[in-house]
Amino acid sequence: MSDGSSVRPLWPPLVAGLVLGLVLILTFVLVGNGVGASGTFASIAAWLGMQIAPAATQSNGYLGGMVAHGANPFASWIVVEVVGVAIGALLAAASAGRFKLKVDTGAGKIGVAPRLALALLGGVLAGFGSRLAAGCTSGVGLSGTAMLGIGGFIFLVVFFLVGLGMSALLRRVW
Amino acid sequence: MDYGVAGTALASGILFGYVLEQAGFGSPCKLTAQFRLTDWSVFKVMFTAIIVASLGILLLQTGNYFGSKGFFVPTTFLWATVSGAALIGAGFAIGGYCPGTSVVGFMSGRIDGLVFMVGMVLGIFGFASVYDSALIQSILHSAQFTAKTLPQYLGVSPWLIWAVMVLVAIGGFALGRVLERRTHGVITAEDIVDETDPTISFDGEGSAVHGNLGSRAA
């Protein structure tokens, strides 16, 4: 696979965007809401909390609601949807010869350990932020803006501006 | 949740994940190249999808497809959205993913995608531990917008907003084209599999030679 001959090209952005837009319309028509992602990780946190410290999880102001009265935090639309995202991504990567087990260090400017540390830190910030915004790039940025929701526009502007600034600060890192 | 709802959730997710991977959005290098302004695929894909989807939704609303109950648009609290988007933007530049694309990254074989997902769960535990604090509660519940959508807020036709989004997209496509050419072009499928980024020049090692090859400085 490393010679690249079996790797199929990516879809042009215009094609990917068009298909993604049609998928969004289909989802709105079938279920009345758009796609999302970050809610699934809140469900995972609630489930994990119940395994480690059930009393503290049940009494927690945020996680408690997801496990009240013995509720299964995984029995939600968004969890099943993200399982679908995982299956779809695997199908695409495998069929296009783009599946490769690795730690992605970009152009190799960064080592494996610091790359994983940054991935963890980025995840912590995104996880915390997704609970403040009640969604992420998919749920608020993409689906929210498709409905012309105010939150979607605010999200995209702030997301891009902070991303640009933080990326400039990290230019020498990776 | 019945089987029908689970079925639509699974089908919608499979299509969503499939398209994201085909766009190259499993690669943290390609994703963050948007913020380095060397590959505009994130902007192009997102804006095209938003324009197509909002057109479809506006047409369905015009035809009264959703009926009198309409559909659910979440209420916006200004500082909750601003602070959340800022943290997700920072997390994207630092970690290389957003929540959805980390799943795509992991499923195309990237361990760093899995680590990002673990980080998100830790971040949510952090949020839960400070959820009842006065600061978080005031961020979550103050500065509420009474309007749900931007056209409602501005008192204009949704079609005007849609037309402006098309203009912004055209401007972004044109600007992206110029800036992508100024570097070395977009990151390809081979680049994301073999981990080469033609757009990154290592500081101190010089850059591509432009102009007259015969005249060397110094």
Side-chain angles (χ1 to χ4, degrees):
Chain A
M1 206 185 279
S2 60
D3 62 7
S5 59
S6 61
V7 178
R8 298 186 57 192
L10 301 172
W11 288 359
L14 205 57
V15 173
L18 184 69
V19 178
L20 186 54
L22 295 175
V23 171
L24 265 175
I25 294 174
L26 184 72
T27 309
F28 274 109
V29 167
L30 288 178
V31 293
N33 56 259
V35 296
S38 60
T40 296
F41 297 93
S43 294
I44 293 172
W47 177 84
L48 207 57
M50 286 303 285
Q51 311 305 309
I52 300 166
T57 305
Q58 278 166 334
S59 64
N60 182 265
Y62 182 69
L63 297 175
M66 282 184 268
V67 294
H69 313 296
N72 176 4
F74 291 139
S76 75
W77 191 88
I78 196 141
V79 173
V80 180
E81 191 240 10
V82 168
V83 170
V85 169
I87 295 170
L90 181 62
L91 285 175
S95 66
R98 291 192 291 259
F99 184 91
K100 189 174 170 186
L101 198 64
K102 63 183 173 186
V103 174
D104 200 326
T105 55
K109 204 154 54 161
I110 189 173
V112 167
R115 167 70 188 111
L116 292 179
L118 286 189
L120 190 71
L121 175 62
V124 169
L125 296 177
F128 196 104
S130 73
R131 296 308 85 205
L132 285 170
C136 58
T137 327
S138 316
V140 184
L142 185 65
S143 305
T145 310
M147 295 186 282
L148 306 183
I150 293 177
F153 290 96
I154 296 172
F155 183 98
L156 286 183
V157 169
V158 175
F159 171 78
F160 269 96
L161 287 179
V162 173
L164 278 173
M166 187 56 77
S167 181
L169 291 175
L170 289 167
R171 198 163 280 262
R172 287 168 185 280
V173 180
W174 86 289
Chain B
M1 189 168 50
D2 61 34
Y3 289 116
V5 174
T8 56
L10 195 64
S12 167
I14 288 173
L15 292 170
F16 186 37
Y18 190 86
V19 179
L20 287 179
E21 204 288 329
Q22 291 287 8
F25 291 178
S27 161
C29 193
K30 186 163 181 91
L31 290 165
T32 55
Q34 175 65 62
F35 289 150
R36 292 189 295 271
L37 302 179
T38 55
D39 184 327
W40 283 60
S41 297
V42 171
F43 175 90
K44 291 176 186 174
V45 172
M46 278 194 86
F47 259 76
T48 305
I50 287 169
I51 284 168
V52 169
S54 54
L55 173 65
I57 290 167
L58 283 172
L59 289 174
L60 288 168
Q61 279 177 325
T62 306
N64 204 25
Y65 176 86
F66 296 105
S68 55
K69 69 183 169 77
F71 58 89
F72 178 72
V73 181
T75 302
T76 300
F77 295 88
L78 178 64
W79 298 115
T81 304
V82 167
S83 56
L87 285 173
I88 294 171
F92 193 116
I94 292 170
Y97 299 105
C98 61
T101 50
S102 71
V103 177
V104 180
F106 175 52
M107 294 312 286
S108 49
R110 292 176 177 83
I111 310 296
D112 43 306
L114 177 65
V115 172
F116 190 95
M117 289 157 69
V118 172
M120 278 193 290
V121 174
L122 294 177
I124 292 167
F125 276 130
F127 177 81
S129 67
V130 295
Y131 178 77
D132 290 323
S133 68
L135 176 66
I136 296 294
Q137 285 300 314
S138 73
I139 289 173
L140 287 175
H141 297 116
S142 61
Q144 176 185 348
F145 283 92
T146 47
K148 300 267 186 185
T149 68
L150 190 60
Q152 280 172 3
Y153 179 70
L154 297 175
V156 298
S157 161
W159 291 103
L160 176 66
I161 301 293
W162 189 81
V164 170
M165 290 200 300
V166 172
L167 290 177
V168 170
I170 292 171
F173 268 78
L175 181 63
R177 198 178 150 97
V178 170
L179 292 177
E180 283 169 354
R181 281 186 178 169
R182 186 178 291 177
T183 53
H184 296 72
V186 297
I187 297 169
T188 67
E190 280 82 9
D191 294 333
I192 69 172
V193 173
D194 296 333
E195 292 178 70
T196 51
D197 181 352
T199 65
I200 288 182
S201 66
F202 287 75
D203 291 328
E205 291 179 15
S207 56
V209 178
H210 298 291
N212 190 346
L213 288 169
S215 65
R216 288 203 179 146

